Amino acid sequence: MVDRAPKGETLREIADRHGRSYDTVRKQWARHPDWPAPIGKRGRWHVYDSAAVDRVIGEHFARPAVQLQPRRLYTAQQLEEAGAGITAGTIRADLSRGRWPQPDSTDDGVNRWYGTTATAALAQRRSYKRSVDGTLG
């Protein structure tokens, strides 16, 4: 039997490959005006060209990695201002929920993280671009 299904990915496969929820891909990404048209169907599911999908995600949805000084201490506000792609409020909320690392310094009652700590925490969050060797940037 010859497999006549078009090459490419379904929305669910795209979501799995990019570490995002199916609903995010279906309700947000796939509704973007630059989202590629389906190249066919596999069963009842539309199939999309992987390269075209990756291009749209890279241009519109992937957040560029921020360059932080490794040994400098940053407050949540300074991380936001440095372009970390996350607000200070989200950092504080995630810290209280155990989704952000404990501060490296709490001198004067102010939470501060080394650039290396913040970079590692940001790497655990989704949609940050990675270089060829797997590091952020």
Side-chain angles (χ1 to χ4, degrees), residues 27-46:
K27 292 179 181 178
Q28 295 175 16
W29 293 7
R31 292 183 181 176
H32 191 278
D34 290 342
W35 190 259
I39 58 172
K41 287 187 120 178
R42 189 183 319 139
R44 63 182 239 197
W45 306 107
H46 288 287

Side-chain angles (χ1 to χ4, degrees), residues 56-125:
V56 171
I57 291 171
E59 291 173 2
H60 298 287
F61 301 108
R63 294 178 284 207
V66 64
Q67 298 297 317
L68 300 174
Q69 297 172 22
R71 298 301 302 159
R72 176 182 166 197
L73 287 167
Y74 293 87
T75 64
Q77 187 63 44
Q78 289 169 331
L79 289 170
E80 178 181 349
E81 291 167 358
I86 184 172
T87 65
T90 298
I91 292 172
R92 288 189 284 272
D94 283 359
L95 176 62
S96 71
R97 292 179 177 98
R99 297 186 301 226
W100 188 263
Q102 291 298 312
D104 295 307
S105 171
T106 56
D107 293 344
D108 302 321
V110 177
N111 292 336
R112 293 183 184 89
W113 295 266
Y114 284 116
T116 53
T117 304
T119 299
L122 291 169
Q124 298 303 312
R125 298 181 70 82

